[in-house]
């Protein structure tokens, strides 16, 4: 990923961290559309409110008319984006739905009329306290362009989904469970944050490259991170990194 793309990602992460309410989350989704040339974006969160019978959290860039229509028709009960997406561990491309039937055909036909893109991707997030999140984005790109877009930005989308979910959890009062990293895990992450490779970290710390990779893998696991970049971002946001510098 080039420097400009990295700057775009970290600008988005900073905006997420500074979000103070639902309106800020929706503005963030608007900015993601502009950043990545998307058609629409939506975030759905379940199990994140203090009240057990609370409605799912929803932030969207859709028109109010479409949101009202969606609720009136109770499309959530048959929408494969939700039915399949919340059960998944890996990102779900909407092309995986297969043949749509009955009311689902109507749902996606109307979605297009209300401005949703022809292609979609949903990224699930599974929290440690039973909470779940789903970031869904759509695009009007052609098939080959869409596949290229996913290859380039899939990491961004997964990182952003995790951070949006974490921020909404905090806004809704669901306390995070802090991770505890060992001194060696923190050392490795600190050098990664400064742009060093695993090989360079090993040379600096006097460890084997295999050992450094094991420390980084352990840190990613503890932080629920999908990459070293993601782990650095989470550790920095939660105050684990640079707190002694």
């Amino acid at each position: 990923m080039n420097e400009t793309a990295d700057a775009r990602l970290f600008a988005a992460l900073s905006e997420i961290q500074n979000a103070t309410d639902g309106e800020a989350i929706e503005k963030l989704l608007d900015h993601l559309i502009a950043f990545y040339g998307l058609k629409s974006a939506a975030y759905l969160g379940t199990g994140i409110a203090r009240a057990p019978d609370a409605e799912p959290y929803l932030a969207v860039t859709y028109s109010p008319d479409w949101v009202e229509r969606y609720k009136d028709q109770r499309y959530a009960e048959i929408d494969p984006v939700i039915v399949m997406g919340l059960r998944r561990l890996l990102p779900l491309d909407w092309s995986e739905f297969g043949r749509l039937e009955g009311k689902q055909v109507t749902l996606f036909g109307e979605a297009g009329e209300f401005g949703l893109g022809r292609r979609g991707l949903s990224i699930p997030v599974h929290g440690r306290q039973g909470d779940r999140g789903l970031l869904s984005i759509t695009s009007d790109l052609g098939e080959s362009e869409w596949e290229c877009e996913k290859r380039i930005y899939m990491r961004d989308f997964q990182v952003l989904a995790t951070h949006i979910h974490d921020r909404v959890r905090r806004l809704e009062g669901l306390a995070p469970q802090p991770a505890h990293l060992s001194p060696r895990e923190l050392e490795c992450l600190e050098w990664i944050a400064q742009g060093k490779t695993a090989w360079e970290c090993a040379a600096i710390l006097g460890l084997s490259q295999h050992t450094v990779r094991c420390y980084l893998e352990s840190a990613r696991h503890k932080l629920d991170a999908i990459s070293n970049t993601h782990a650095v971002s989470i550790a920095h946001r939660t105050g684990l990194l640079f707190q002694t510098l």
Side-chain angles (χ1 to χ4, degrees):
M1 182 173 293
N2 61 42
E3 187 174 335
T4 301
D6 272 336
R8 175 168 49 193
L9 172 61
F10 283 104
L13 293 176
S14 177
E15 185 174 354
I16 293 171
Q17 183 177 355
N18 293 327
T20 57
D21 53 29
E23 183 178 352
I25 296 295
E26 292 199 339
K27 286 183 179 179
L28 163 71
L29 294 180
D30 281 327
H31 294 162
L32 293 186
I33 290 175
F35 284 162
Y36 295 98
L38 302 169
K39 188 72 173 178
S40 67
Y43 166 80
L44 173 71
T46 65
I48 58 176
R50 292 178 179 177
D53 58 346
E55 289 286 323
Y57 185 100
L58 184 65
V60 300
T61 63
Y62 309 148
S63 71
D65 289 342
W66 173 236
V67 174
E68 182 178 357
R69 173 69 176 173
Y70 188 95
K71 291 180 178 179
D72 287 346
Q73 295 299 309
R74 302 176 67 176
Y75 280 146
E77 297 177 4
I78 54 91
D79 187 350
V81 173
I82 296 176
V83 175
M84 295 177 63
L86 288 175
R87 297 176 181 174
R88 291 277 293 241
L89 293 176
L90 298 176
L92 172 68
D93 190 287
W94 294 5
S95 63
E96 297 179 46
F97 295 156
R99 182 177 179 179
L100 301 176
E101 298 181 352
K103 199 172 181 180
Q104 292 177 331
V105 176
T106 304
L107 161 62
F108 280 90
E110 292 184 353
E113 294 174 3
F114 278 95
L116 275 70
R118 295 177 298 156
R119 308 191 188 281
L121 178 72
S122 295
I123 300 96
V125 180
H126 294 260
R128 296 180 178 179
Q129 296 172 270
D131 49 293
R132 296 184 181 183
L134 192 66
L135 176 65
S136 296
I137 57 177
T138 71
S139 171
D140 270 340
L141 291 175
E143 183 176 355
S144 61
E145 294 171 305
W146 175 238
E147 290 301 319
C148 181
E149 183 87 354
K150 288 192 299 179
R151 283 195 299 271
I152 295 173
Y153 294 119
M154 182 64 81
R155 185 196 71 165
D156 285 27
F157 297 149
Q158 290 178 292
V159 170
L160 291 168
T162 301
H163 280 251
I164 291 172
H165 182 67
D166 179 69
R167 190 59 187 163
V168 171
R169 279 168 43 100
R170 293 168 185 266
L171 292 176
E172 292 296 297
L174 191 60
Q177 294 183 331
H180 299 282
L181 302 186
S182 72
R184 279 300 194 191
E185 290 165 350
L186 284 171
E187 279 185 310
C188 291
L189 279 183
E190 286 175 351
W191 286 114
I192 291 294
Q194 295 182 45
K196 304 300 183 183
T197 64
W199 182 88
E200 291 171 324
C201 290
I204 292 169
L205 298 174
L207 303 171
S208 71
Q209 187 174 354
H210 174 74
T211 299
V212 168
R213 291 188 183 280
C214 286
Y215 281 130
L216 291 172
E217 182 178 355
S218 177
R220 290 196 303 270
H221 175 73
K222 290 180 180 180
L223 295 169
D224 282 338
I226 61 173
S227 67
N228 289 339
T229 301
H230 188 196
V232 167
S233 176
I234 294 174
H236 184 268
R237 187 190 71 232
T238 55
L240 292 172
L241 278 187
F242 315 125
Q243 56 190 4
T244 60
L245 299 183

